[in-house]
Amino acid sequence: MALALACQTQPAVGATAATTADPTELSLEDLVKMEIPIVEGASKYKQKTTEAPSSVTIITQEEVKKNGYRTLAEILASAPGLYTTYDRNYTFLGVRGFNRGDFNSRVLLLVNGHRVNNSLSDGAAIGTEFILDPDLIDRVEIIRGPGSSLYGNNAFFGVINVITRNGRDLPGLGAEVSGEAASRDTFKGRVTWGQRFTNGLEVLLSGSIYDSEGHDELFYKEFTAINGGIAENADADKSKSAFGSVKYADFTLEGAFNTREKVNPTAQTVMQFGFNDPRLRTRDERSYVTLKYAHDFSGDAVVNAQVYYDRHDFVGHYPFAGTLYEDVQAAEWWGTEVQLTKRLFDRHTLTFGGEYRDDFRQSEQYSPNGFSTVTNRQNYGIYVAGDFAVLTNLHFNAGARFDQYGDFDAAFNPRLALIYNPVGQTVFKAIYGTAFRAPNFFELRRNPDPNAPPPPTPETITTYELVYEQGIGDHLRSSVSGYYNQIDDLITPLGGYYQNLNNAEAKGVEISLEGFWNSGVRGRLSYSYQETQDTTTHQVLTDSPRHLGKFILSAPLMKEKIFAGAEVLFASARETDKGTQAAAYGIVNLTLFSQNLVKGLEFSAGVYNLLDRRYADPATPLHLQDVIEQDGRAFRGKLTWRF
Amino acid sequence: MRIARRQFLGHLLAAALAVALAWELSAQTPLSPYQHKALYLFNFAKYTEWPKDAFAGDDAPFVLGILGKDPFGKDLEVIKGKTVRGRKLEVKYFSTLEEVSGCQLLFIALSETNNLAQILKALENTSVLTIAEADGFLQASGMINLVTEKKTAGTQSVAFEVNLAAAQKANLKLDAQLLKLARNVLRT
């Protein structure tokens, strides 16, 4: 591992030897072997990853299968600089050393370009509560750095664009049936049908059911007074989801739905009152329907537009001092977006866009005899971005977005990038940008109190980043990225109100080396060094590992039929909210995947946490626990039949 | 399984090391998808032999025609003006079938997908190498079809398939190398 890393950190030495050859000298054989990188979410149009004004990682369906990823969270955790924390209810995403154990509102999550962060916490669901069955993912684009200049709110540390499979991807009759069984009484079933008809109509429909009983017993030493600290049968996780997409000509109608109920064994917020009580559970329901229009006018202009309706429902049941409280939250919103992308003189690309969103219902009702809040919010944003080829090998990329909310000052966020391709497969990117996160429904909510502090204003981030990408031969790609993030006005709860209390900074380096060979072997090795500090308290941020190391490999055991996938994930110790540490961990996951042994049949068998390491993630500030222990060794078998 | 894993790890390290040491910086700048396809067109011209009467004269250029909505734009610059089969490569753009004339190689854009049968019928007795990127192009007696495939890690690759019978009918000789690299060759 160390050797491979060393190799790719010193490539500049030999670079002068390379000369830019005439591409027409490429042989037909070269062309057949060639792979061209493409990415959509970084600039809101399709472009090569090397031209994107960001550090980008793309994870495809093939990797999801070969490495046996079960959730979006596991997919993300395999990417350089990202890590996840699970509190046995929700999964929190850490990006570049920053993970506050809230609901991922500092990352913008998109499904086919549609924003799926919810309306109340602005959170992004990535565990079993993610709106999409991970089997429907074609690829995940992870675009690091501030994205507010294009996307507005929440594109703080990055943008994650999940792109689904299409009807055309299902051959034959277009049917796919999948079933899986896993440790701790976990089962999942899925039925999908997709087709593209000769008249151009394309359809994909899918439904899934997931049911996991979870651990029979979980022990938490903080609760030894109740049932000896054991939460019995309190870990069940059940979800149902559906997805549908109909495309015809320039129009796409797409809808998604997920309902997920989780019993909560860790008893945060209700403390000892609800521990080991199976009534303590939460249900999240999330859905959207969107109508999209995309037209490619000749003369290199592309118009994209969408109008959507979204909904989020949450019910929490909290047994508290003998009474079962119910917290019912609901939000509905609609919005519309229009974007024009225009190529100028075939060298420059200009993008203009605007969006309007109306969160016409945001509500929360506590019962019995609790408070209730009903509000709404409107906002709009306009943006412009350009990619200018100053020289054939030097691009200047600039963009800015203006966002107006009714309840606080407008946000203006620019991004500037220089992308320089001096020679061969060498690319340098220098990026500056800012982003914001608006205070959410919960943070703005106030009781009528004359002594209340003023409501919080948006959190902001300023990022400086240098990226060096180097292709090495036909099979290896490496990248080194160094960044500095300055985060201001973090919103922190104090005395029942949320206020802009903290500032923070993060700096770090990410190194990755990816390899692909025609034999079917592929791998990615990455290391991240990240240093964070709360500049108000001068302490290291909680849940912020200094080192992250990842090694992901898949290789054929039998050509194009049987593959072995291995994954090693390492994170160094993380500070907890209560001032201790969650110890460093290294876990190994193994997957065997086979396809076409029998026509149309895929089989996979996975072992997760192979070495049965005991490790724990930092708990959130709402927990009595300091850390939450994670799963030991687990197995999953999965069978998918296509016909 | 553990031994196998170690082997793969070894495989990866060895390959990384070998490549880094040999310092095989491949010379080309990363190509865009349509530059990639343009280079395919260029290579198809290289590996095809036209009958003499397909050209107006010995000094006549080699003409690449593009029918329908041009997907290449500036990406075609990588091959414009280059020499192929001893002739200078020129590009002509046709918006309708009626305009098509005087080209040796015709790329039929996706915008014409619904008229493929009609277009190919009209070209039947000419020595024009027809190329497209549409499902069913070979079945409609087109000659070479480009197939774009999404590959690992957000990349795409392009393969091609050949209808040899259709090319032979048009008096075009396709080189064995071209047939060898085709993913699929229709011979009847």
Side-chain angles (χ1 to χ4, degrees):
Chain A
M1 272 200 206
L3 262 181
L5 276 174
C7 292
Q8 55 109 32
T9 51
Q10 41 178 281
V13 189
T16 48
T19 49
T20 306
D22 180 351
T24 56
E25 282 168 21
L26 289 170
S27 72
L28 198 52
E29 195 166 356
D30 292 335
L31 297 179
V32 171
K33 283 188 189 158
M34 192 172 283
E35 287 188 23
I36 313 269
I38 42 172
V39 60
E40 284 174 30
S43 299
K44 286 195 168 180
Y45 56 85
K46 278 187 194 175
Q47 65 182 162
K48 293 189 283 177
T49 46
T50 49
E51 285 180 0
S54 313
S55 154
V56 176
T57 301
I58 295 174
I59 295 171
T60 61
Q61 179 193 163
E62 196 185 321
E63 290 164 82
V64 174
K65 285 179 182 172
K66 289 179 181 167
N67 288 301
Y69 299 133
R70 298 166 292 185
T71 58
L72 176 62
E74 290 184 339
I75 296 172
L76 298 175
S78 75
L82 269 54
Y83 56 102
T84 57
T85 295
Y86 180 50
D87 75 348
R88 306 217 74 87
N89 193 358
Y90 297 102
T91 307
F92 311 116
L93 180 66
V95 185
R96 291 184 161 172
F98 196 102
N99 192 0
R100 276 197 131 191
D102 47 11
F103 301 100
N104 307 331
S105 58
R106 292 176 196 85
V107 173
L108 175 63
L109 181 59
L110 307 167
V111 170
N112 294 329
H114 176 75
R115 171 187 280 264
V116 296
N117 293 55
N118 71 46
S119 165
L120 297 179
S121 69
D122 276 323
I126 59 170
T128 51
E129 69 280 16
F130 177 49
I131 194 162
L132 207 65
D133 183 328
D135 288 356
L136 298 178
I137 293 175
D138 179 68
R139 65 184 197 276
V140 178
E141 301 177 348
I142 298 156
I143 301 143
R144 296 177 188 76
S148 286
S149 68
L150 273 178
Y151 290 99
N153 195 8
N154 309 118
F156 201 81
F157 288 114
V159 177
I160 294 160
N161 189 18
V162 176
I163 295 161
T164 61
R165 293 159 66 191
N166 288 305
R168 77 188 75 160
D169 300 332
L170 288 124
L173 290 175
E176 194 173 278
V177 181
S178 179
E180 56 186 77
S183 304
R184 301 175 195 111
D185 289 320
T186 301
F187 301 94
K188 194 182 126 187
R190 173 177 61 87
V191 178
T192 303
W193 176 76
Q195 196 70 266
R196 181 167 61 174
F197 300 94
T198 45
N199 64 1
L201 177 72
E202 189 167 359
V203 182
L204 182 81
L205 298 170
S206 186
S208 307
I209 296 184
Y210 172 81
D211 190 325
S212 172
E213 285 306 317
H215 291 266
D216 297 337
E217 294 188 346
L218 286 162
F219 170 72
Y220 296 104
K221 66 179 191 311
E222 293 78 4
F223 289 96
T224 41
I226 306 160
N227 199 33
I230 295 169
E232 283 180 78
N233 301 318
D235 190 35
D237 187 349
K238 297 174 203 273
S239 78
K240 293 189 182 88
S241 67
F243 177 80
S245 159
V246 180
K247 290 185 198 186
Y248 186 72
D250 291 335
F251 291 93
T252 304
L253 180 67
E254 180 183 304
F257 169 80
N258 176 279
T259 177
R260 182 256 198 176
E261 187 166 276
K262 181 72 180 66
V263 183
N264 183 340
T266 63
Q268 81 269 31
T269 64
V270 288
M271 309 303 172
Q272 55 271 39
F273 295 105
F275 183 76
N276 191 35
D277 186 332
R279 295 176 302 170
L280 176 62
R281 56 178 69 196
T282 52
R283 188 175 75 227
D284 285 88
E285 267 178 29
R286 184 73 178 82
S287 57
Y288 72 81
V289 53
T290 173
L291 178 65
K292 293 185 214 177
Y293 170 81
H295 187 81
D296 197 341
F297 291 96
S298 27
D300 289 327
V302 180
V303 168
N304 285 289
Q306 68 167 313
V307 51
Y308 60 83
Y309 165 78
D310 275 60
R311 189 180 166 108
H312 177 217
D313 287 281
F314 167 89
V315 181
H317 288 130
Y318 304 121
F320 198 88
T323 309
L324 183 65
Y325 287 85
E326 194 177 57
D327 176 12
V328 178
Q329 303 169 8
E332 287 179 281
W333 62 105
W334 77 276
T336 183
E337 293 178 28
V338 181
Q339 182 190 311
L340 173 74
T341 306
K342 174 100 182 93
R343 297 262 290 163
L344 295 177
F345 314 114
D346 282 323
R347 296 176 54 188
H348 313 306
T349 306
L350 267 184
T351 305
F352 306 91
E355 65 180 281
Y356 173 77
R357 170 168 161 175
D358 178 10
D359 292 83
F360 57 90
R361 182 161 77 108
Q362 295 181 312
S363 68
E364 179 173 29
Q365 167 80 51
Y366 254 104
S367 57
N369 50 45
F371 59 88
S372 107
T373 312
V374 179
T375 180
N376 60 70
R377 158 187 276 192
Q378 288 74 32
N379 71 287
Y380 70 85
I382 47 173
Y383 58 90
V384 56
D387 183 81
F388 308 98
V390 184
L391 301 168
T392 49
N393 63 355
L394 179 69
H395 284 243
F396 174 59
N397 190 295
R401 175 165 162 143
F402 176 87
D403 281 277
Q404 179 69 59
Y405 285 77
D407 31 14
F408 39 78
D409 289 346
F412 176 78
N413 290 281
R415 178 169 65 184
L416 303 172
L418 272 177
I419 298 157
Y420 179 47
N421 173 208
V423 62
Q425 303 184 62
T426 305
V427 176
F428 293 97
K429 300 175 180 179
I431 305 156
Y432 161 83
T434 69
F436 77 105
R437 178 182 83 81
N440 63 34
F441 168 82
F442 301 107
E443 290 161 344
L444 287 171
R445 187 177 54 194
R446 3 227 77 213
N447 295 325
D449 173 357
N451 299 319
T457 58
E459 299 178 347
T460 62
I461 183 170
T462 305
T463 295
Y464 304 85
E465 184 169 3
L466 284 172
V467 182
Y468 165 42
E469 293 170 357
Q470 179 69 57
I472 306 164
D474 292 336
H475 306 297
L476 288 171
R477 282 210 298 264
S478 65
S479 84
V480 181
S481 145
Y483 60 87
Y484 173 78
N485 287 333
Q486 186 192 322
I487 301 154
D488 290 315
D489 300 325
L490 282 169
I491 300 170
T492 308
L494 183 75
Y497 292 100
Y498 286 91
Q499 297 176 55
N500 299 102
L501 293 178
N502 301 68
N503 298 329
E505 60 178 26
K507 50 195 172 201
V509 179
E510 280 159 11
I511 302 172
S512 84
L513 175 68
E514 278 188 272
F516 325 78
W517 287 270
N518 294 334
S519 58
V521 177
R522 51 171 303 131
R524 183 171 61 236
L525 184 64
S526 73
Y527 166 74
S528 311
Y529 175 82
Q530 36 201 33
E531 215 179 281
T532 60
Q533 194 189 50
D534 182 319
T535 47
T536 313
T537 62
H538 298 286
Q539 286 181 336
V540 174
L541 294 183
T542 55
D543 199 359
S544 177
R546 183 156 286 202
H547 309 278
L548 285 176
K550 302 172 191 210
F551 179 59
I552 291 134
L553 184 73
S554 79
L557 297 179
M558 184 180 157
K559 198 170 189 285
E560 293 185 350
K561 293 213 159 114
I562 305 177
F563 298 84
E567 178 176 61
V568 182
L569 302 176
F570 168 83
S572 63
R574 296 171 282 175
E575 307 292 321
T576 66
D577 188 63
K578 316 234 171 342
T580 65
Q581 280 195 335
Y585 68 83
I587 55 167
V588 178
N589 303 323
L590 278 188
T591 298
L592 265 183
F593 171 75
S594 83
Q595 61 188 13
N596 289 327
L597 282 177
V598 177
K599 194 173 181 309
L601 209 63
E602 280 175 6
F603 174 72
S604 89
V607 194
Y608 303 84
N609 194 357
L610 174 77
L611 307 174
D612 204 20
R613 285 272 184 266
R614 284 190 76 164
Y615 72 109
D617 287 339
T620 75
L622 296 175
H623 284 92
L624 273 191
Q625 293 93 332
D626 196 20
V627 296
I628 306 288
E629 189 173 333
Q630 300 296 303
D631 289 343
R633 189 185 297 127
F635 300 90
R636 181 183 77 159
K638 175 168 176 166
L639 203 59
T640 303
W641 184 39
R642 206 171 286 145
F643 55 96
Chain B
M1 195 113 123
R2 301 201 62 177
I3 290 168
R5 233 188 86 232
R6 209 170 296 152
Q7 274 174 0
F8 301 137
L9 187 71
H11 190 144
L12 184 71
L13 284 180
L17 202 61
V19 175
L21 288 179
W23 207 249
E24 263 195 343
L25 255 187
S26 94
Q28 78 276 11
T29 32
L31 295 170
S32 75
Y34 274 96
Q35 281 177 336
H36 188 199
K37 288 175 186 170
L39 291 170
Y40 261 113
L41 300 188
F42 187 83
N43 268 277
F44 294 148
K46 239 166 55 179
Y47 287 108
T48 304
E49 203 175 301
W50 273 262
K52 239 197 149 92
D53 61 10
F55 296 92
D58 285 348
D59 299 333
F62 182 95
V63 180
L64 157 64
I66 295 186
L67 173 59
K69 209 182 103 189
D70 171 35
F72 292 96
K74 209 78 170 179
D75 288 341
L76 216 51
E77 294 291 321
V78 293
I79 60 167
K80 265 186 194 165
K82 299 284 179 187
T83 304
V84 64
R85 306 201 70 83
R87 296 166 189 273
K88 195 162 180 282
L89 188 139
E90 283 186 6
V91 182
K92 279 192 187 172
Y93 296 92
F94 310 118
S95 49
T96 64
L97 173 60
E98 290 67 40
E99 293 171 19
V100 176
S101 72
C103 62
Q104 286 73 45
L105 194 155
L106 183 69
F107 181 84
I108 304 166
L110 275 174
S111 62
E112 306 307 301
T113 304
N114 292 333
N115 314 325
L116 281 180
Q118 194 194 348
I119 293 165
L120 293 168
K121 181 107 185 99
L123 294 170
E124 217 166 39
N125 294 314
T126 62
S127 293
V128 176
L129 181 68
T130 53
I131 302 175
E133 44 176 346
D135 295 347
F137 183 63
L138 297 194
Q139 289 68 30
S141 76
M143 295 172 196
I144 301 183
N145 191 35
L146 294 174
V147 185
T148 305
E149 287 184 329
K150 270 179 277 172
K151 301 282 272 202
T152 50
T155 60
Q156 67 173 37
S157 69
V158 177
F160 66 97
E161 43 191 27
V162 176
N163 184 337
L164 183 60
Q168 283 169 340
K169 219 165 129 190
N171 268 327
L172 300 174
K173 270 193 210 149
L174 304 185
D175 193 283
Q177 178 72 2
L178 195 148
L179 299 178
K180 194 183 118 195
L181 292 168
R183 159 195 293 185
N184 185 13
V185 179
L186 286 183
R187 291 176 191 274
T188 50

